């Protein structure tokens, strides 16, 4: 069986340019790159996404716009992400980032929610101290 192509959580948070994804990738490029089945949904006019468990690739007008890691209870861990020992469903992402030497910056706090920024430009949303999602826009 061929080795599964993955991307690491650490890279997602620290080095956008090292990800195997580009903003000019089309849907078929992502499918070819990973060689695994995805759930595909059209969510609106010109907007669609590919999903593999808790990893979501968002497309606008057929081009890759962003990548998101969710903590939705209905989705398990995606095998396309090397989680580097972090559990997105129960772990402390800020503590994990500190232990990994990844500096994050608080951007906004309101009503129990926090929005943090990672060096890659990824946005980390926490609700009541628990991870809600990590989203990285791929456009410049």
């Amino acid at each position: 069986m061929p080795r599964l192509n993955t991307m690491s959580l650490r890279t997602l948070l620290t080095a956008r340019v090292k990800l195997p994804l580009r903003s000019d990738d089309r849907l078929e490029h992502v499918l070819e790159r990973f060689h695994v089945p995805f759930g595909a949904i059209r969510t609106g006019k010109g907007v669609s996404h590919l999903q593999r468990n808790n990893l979501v690739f968002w497309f606008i007008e057929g081009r890759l716009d962003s990548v998101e890691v969710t903590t939705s209870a209905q989705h398990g861990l995606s095998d396309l992400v090397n989680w580097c020992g972090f559990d997105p469903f129960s772990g402390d992402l800020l503590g994990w980032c500190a232990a990994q030497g990844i500096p994050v910056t608080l951007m906004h706090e309101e009503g129990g929610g926090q929005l943090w920024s990672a060096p890659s430009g990824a946005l980390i949303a926490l609700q009541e101290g628990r991870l809600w999602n990590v989203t990285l826009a791929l456009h410049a």
Side-chain angles (χ1 to χ4, degrees), residues 89-106:
F89 300 112
S90 63
D92 171 13
L93 186 59
L94 298 181
W96 181 86
C97 286
Q100 296 288 314
I102 301 171
V104 294
T105 305
L106 181 62

Side-chain angles (χ1 to χ4, degrees), residues 71-129:
T71 57
S72 172
Q74 67 207 46
H75 301 106
L77 285 177
S78 177
D79 55 355
L80 298 180
V81 177
N82 174 347
W83 297 100
C84 305
F86 177 72
D87 181 349
F89 300 112
S90 63
D92 171 13
L93 186 59
L94 298 181
W96 181 86
C97 286
Q100 296 288 314
I102 301 171
V104 294
T105 305
L106 181 62
M107 295 178 58
H108 185 75
E109 187 169 17
E110 183 177 330
Q114 297 176 327
L115 185 63
W116 296 79
S117 176
S120 66
L123 298 177
I124 301 166
L126 302 178
Q127 186 63 41
E128 304 295 332

